[in-house]
């Protein structure tokens, strides 16, 4: 009972903090900056990287690509660079997907550790800020909708899997995840996308439906990949900052992995509209 109460309270604080900061652009930028530093610290422990360089890289990327474009409302000289960052991030994540399906562990040679902290983790927080500034205008509703879809997917994947799950999704990495749970999360995310489109007035229902599929699929992959990192590190959680939940990276792994793909989809929409 006490453990459930602590878990619920820490989760409520996390969600409340996020929702409040979403209302104010500067507050959101500050929050994700802190979140990014915490997640890098947790991830460095998972991959046994002692160097402080990932913190410096994150600060530079966040300041140049996130703050410059979001706050100063200019992409002069950065538009092409942002596209390159997006391509490199997606490229690194595709290799992580390949590593996920490999029977061997994820290779963690020195260069790859820095590539992961840069293009898997640091760049994700840049894209989260840019998603909130879709079409060069601060629209937190889109980012809020993305978080809601992650929460809906995770919640219903757990509920459906617990009550109806029989076929294991990825037993070696995450024994509790089931195919039925994944499909349940995907289905209810698609349902939620209609209501998000109706109440936010941002993207149309078709675009939100596509986003729900992107978030459900890549969010689940992100969760599984982080689970494989934790299994290799022989730990249950990435950290202890959220009592009852584990680390902050445990809570953000889905949106972190999906962020570049969400941003790519929004860029495509912006290009064709």
């Amino acid at each position: 009972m006490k453990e459930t109460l602590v878990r619920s309270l820490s989760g409520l604080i996390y969600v409340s903090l996020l929702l409040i900061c979403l209302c104010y652009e500067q507050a959101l930028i500050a929050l994700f900056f802190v979140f990014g530093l915490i997640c890098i610290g947790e991830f460095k422990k998972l991959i046994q990287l002692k160097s402080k360089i990932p913190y410096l890289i994150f600060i530079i990327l966040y300041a140049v690509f996130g703050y410059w474009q979001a706050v100063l409302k200019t992409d002069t000289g950065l538009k092409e660079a942002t596209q390159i960052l997006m391509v490199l991030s997606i490229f690194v994540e595709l290799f992580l997907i390949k590593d996920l399906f490999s029977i061997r562990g994820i290779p963690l040679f020195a260069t790859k550790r820095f590539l992961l902290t840069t293009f898997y983790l640091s760049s994700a927080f840049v894209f989260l800020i840019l998603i909130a500034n879709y079409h060069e205008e601060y629209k937190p509703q889109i980012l809020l909708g993305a978080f809601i879809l992650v929460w809906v997917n995770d919640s219903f994947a757990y509920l459906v899997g617990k009550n109806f799950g029989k076929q294991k999704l990825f037993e070696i990495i995450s024994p509790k995840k089931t195919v039925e749970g994944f499909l349940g999360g995907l289905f209810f995310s698609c349902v939620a996308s209609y209501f998000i489109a109706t109440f936010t007035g941002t993207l149309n229902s078709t675009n939100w439906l596509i986003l729900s599929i992107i978030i459900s699929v890549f969010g689940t992959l992100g969760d599984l990949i982080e689970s494989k990192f934790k299994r290799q590190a022989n730990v249950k959680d990435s950290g202890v900052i959220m009592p009852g939940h584990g680390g902050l990276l445990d809570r953000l792994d889905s949106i972190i992995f999906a962020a570049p793909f969400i941003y790519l989809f929004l860029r495509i929409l912006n290009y064709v509209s």
Side-chain angles (χ1 to χ4, degrees):
M1 182 66 181
K2 183 180 179 181
E3 183 179 346
T4 302
L5 182 62
V6 170
R7 179 181 174 86
S8 300
L9 183 59
S10 63
L12 179 62
I13 292 173
Y14 160 70
V15 173
S16 299
L17 185 61
L18 180 61
L19 293 178
I20 292 171
C21 289
L22 275 169
C23 298
Y24 308 97
E25 185 176 16
Q26 297 285 358
L28 184 68
I29 290 173
L31 180 69
F32 280 163
F33 180 74
V34 175
F35 277 7
L37 292 175
I38 294 172
C39 286
I40 288 173
E42 293 178 348
F43 188 64
K44 279 169 74 273
K45 291 181 181 179
L46 288 182
I47 62 174
Q48 298 180 347
L49 179 62
K50 296 181 180 180
S51 173
K52 304 296 183 183
I53 293 177
Y55 291 115
L56 179 60
I57 294 174
F58 168 72
I59 292 171
I60 293 172
L61 284 178
Y62 198 77
V64 174
F65 289 95
Y67 183 84
W68 186 273
Q69 295 184 79
V71 177
L72 301 184
K73 304 300 180 186
T74 177
D75 58 5
T76 304
L78 288 177
K79 190 172 184 179
E80 292 76 13
T82 304
Q83 292 176 348
I84 294 173
L85 180 65
M86 178 185 67
V87 170
L88 289 174
S89 298
I90 291 176
F91 186 74
V92 168
E93 292 198 352
L94 290 177
F95 266 89
L96 279 176
I97 294 174
K98 179 189 75 69
D99 291 336
L100 173 65
F101 288 93
S102 171
I103 59 174
R104 296 175 297 177
I106 299 174
L108 291 175
F109 48 88
T111 304
K112 187 165 184 176
R113 287 186 172 117
F114 286 104
L115 287 174
L116 289 174
T117 55
T118 302
F119 298 111
Y120 159 59
L121 203 52
S122 296
S123 64
F125 288 94
V126 172
F127 293 125
L128 290 176
I129 292 296
L130 296 180
I131 289 168
N133 284 272
Y134 172 62
H135 208 247
E136 299 180 1
E137 179 183 354
Y138 185 61
K139 292 183 178 180
Q141 298 92 336
I142 295 179
L143 186 58
L144 173 61
F147 270 99
I148 290 174
L149 288 174
V150 168
W151 297 334
V152 169
N153 180 71
D154 289 349
S155 298
F156 281 97
Y158 170 76
L159 291 173
V160 174
K162 183 178 181 181
N163 292 284
F164 305 101
K166 293 182 179 179
Q167 182 68 37
K168 299 297 183 181
L169 180 65
F170 221 112
E171 189 171 9
I172 298 177
I173 303 301
S174 187
K176 294 183 179 180
K177 282 186 170 53
T178 63
V179 173
E180 293 84 358
F182 167 72
L183 294 176
L186 175 62
F187 173 77
F188 283 102
S189 293
C190 291
V191 172
S193 70
Y194 171 79
F195 295 99
I196 293 172
T198 302
F199 290 105
T200 62
T202 49
L203 308 175
N204 62 43
S205 57
T206 300
N207 290 333
W208 272 112
L209 177 63
I210 296 172
L211 268 179
S212 70
I213 296 172
I214 291 173
I215 289 171
S216 182
V217 172
F218 288 102
T220 301
L221 287 171
D223 193 355
L224 288 169
I225 287 169
E226 203 228 337
S227 294
K228 188 163 185 175
F229 278 121
K230 289 189 292 186
R231 187 168 288 271
Q232 283 186 215
N234 197 30
V235 296
K236 180 182 178 182
D237 301 312
S238 65
V240 295
I241 196 170
M242 292 182 65
H245 291 268
L248 189 59
L249 185 58
D250 293 322
R251 301 278 63 80
L252 293 173
D253 54 5
S254 295
I255 195 71
I256 283 173
F257 196 82
F261 298 97
I262 298 171
Y263 181 70
L264 172 62
F265 178 68
L266 293 176
R267 288 297 297 264
I268 292 172
L269 286 183
N270 193 32
Y271 179 77
V272 299
S273 60

